[in-house]
Amino acid sequence: MHLTAPATRRTGLRDTDGMAVASFVLGLVGFLVLNVFLGPTAIILASIALIRGTQRKGRAYLGLALGVLDLVVLVACMHVDSTVSWSF
């Protein structure tokens, strides 16, 4: 006996579109705080969204780019400060 209805294709697309938007937001917020965690999370969510065929490809690509940029900024700031963490 099933208590919930099976997932439909429409629900899957909505979830995938949500992943694309979430990757964009996490990549954007990652510039300010926790970029060591939010950058990779944005990259993973964007990649999954693109593989699953999101309708919001632009946001997924932006999330992917921002996630990579978060890590680049982290590495650059760590190199300048010669520490594992950084702050402005």
Side-chain angles (χ1 to χ4, degrees), residues 20 23-24 46-47 49-50 54 56-67:
S23 71
F24 171 71
S47 299
L50 288 168
T54 182
R56 299 176 183 242
K57 289 188 189 303
R59 291 219 174 100
Y61 283 123
L62 278 173
L64 185 65
L66 287 171

Side-chain angles (χ1 to χ4, degrees), residues 8-26 42 44-64:
T8 62
R9 179 73 176 137
R10 181 164 170 77
T11 303
L13 284 176
R14 195 171 350 135
D15 291 345
T16 304
D17 291 345
M19 280 189 239
V21 173
S23 71
F24 171 71
V25 172
L26 290 176
I44 291 167
L45 285 176
S47 299
I48 292 170
L50 288 168
I51 289 169
R52 290 186 180 177
T54 182
Q55 299 281 329
R56 299 176 183 242
K57 289 188 189 303
R59 291 219 174 100
Y61 283 123
L62 278 173
L64 185 65

Side-chain angles (χ1 to χ4, degrees), residues 32-77:
L32 303 174
V33 292
L34 296 173
N35 54 355
V36 71
F37 298 111
L38 296 181
T41 304
I43 292 169
I44 291 167
L45 285 176
S47 299
I48 292 170
L50 288 168
I51 289 169
R52 290 186 180 177
T54 182
Q55 299 281 329
R56 299 176 183 242
K57 289 188 189 303
R59 291 219 174 100
Y61 283 123
L62 278 173
L64 185 65
L66 287 171
V68 170
L69 204 55
D70 286 350
L71 296 178
V72 169
V73 166
L74 175 66
V75 169
C77 289

